[in-house]
Amino acid sequence: MTDKLEMTEEQKQAWIREQYLKATKYLAEKGLVTESVAETESRYLVPVMALWKINLLDKTKVWVVSGDLPTDHIVLDKGESARDVVRHFSFKWQLQAENLLRLDDQEQKQFAEFLITRADGLYQLYDKDELWQAEK
């Protein structure tokens, strides 16, 4: 296996911009219009995951995840930390996968397996205290 090349700061910033565009496009496709990003609460684990807390024009706050996983969003606004939001996405995907596995559709079952691996990965990130030290 070859070692991954380290990203330059410029490449990291480009990846973050790309994920922001991906997140806002996703929201727009859902009919949700972005007003601003809560940058201090958003988190990036380049090149794996970007977690955005986004304020919408209707004053709703949503969390959007993107990166090397499905782009998805949830509405949470009870002061959850980014770490807690990662856990929410993990649980959400586990439940979605369980429902998809009940279907008699091979393509949906493959997507369910994909969701399960990403949910497991998110939970592992949630479980790593060292990633969340700045949130305490």
Side-chain angles (χ1 to χ4, degrees):
M1 179 150 60
T2 60
D3 291 346
K4 288 187 178 182
L5 296 174
E6 283 292 315
M7 293 176 84
T8 65
E9 189 59 34
E10 184 177 298
Q11 289 169 320
K12 288 178 185 176
Q13 291 304 314
W15 185 88
I16 291 169
R17 278 191 304 276
E18 178 185 327
Q19 296 311 308
Y20 173 74
L21 292 173
K22 192 177 187 181
T24 55
K25 180 182 177 191
Y26 165 86
L27 290 174
E29 289 170 353
K30 302 285 183 195
L32 304 171
V33 183
T34 301
E35 180 180 61
S36 62
V37 174
E39 294 212 23
T40 58
E41 296 173 74
S42 299
R43 297 286 181 270
Y44 321 107
L45 184 59
V46 180
V48 176
M49 175 189 72
L51 184 65
W52 306 94
K53 185 170 186 182
I54 296 181
N55 303 306
L56 303 178
L57 278 181
D58 69 2
K59 303 305 177 203
T60 303
K61 295 175 183 357
V62 298
W63 288 90
V64 181
V65 66
S66 63
D68 185 27
L69 35 83
T71 301
D72 198 0
H73 80 286
I74 52 178
V75 179
L76 294 173
D77 192 26
K78 302 221 185 304
E80 297 87 358
S81 68
R83 185 179 192 177
D84 289 336
V85 172
V86 167
R87 184 177 54 184
H88 276 278
F89 275 114
S90 176
F91 291 158
K92 177 184 178 186
W93 292 351
Q94 287 285 357
L95 290 172
Q96 285 177 331
E98 283 179 30
N99 290 331
L100 291 174
L101 288 171
R102 291 186 186 121
L103 301 175
D104 191 25
D105 181 327
Q106 192 57 36
E107 191 174 309
Q108 292 298 319
K109 288 181 180 183
Q110 286 177 331
F111 185 64
E113 294 298 328
F114 174 73
L115 276 179
I116 289 168
T117 61
R118 293 311 189 255
D120 289 346
L122 281 184
Y123 196 84
Q124 288 174 18
L125 293 175
Y126 160 80
D127 207 31
K128 289 187 179 198
D129 289 336
E130 63 272 17
L131 291 177
W132 308 102
Q133 294 303 314
E135 287 197 347
K136 292 184 177 178

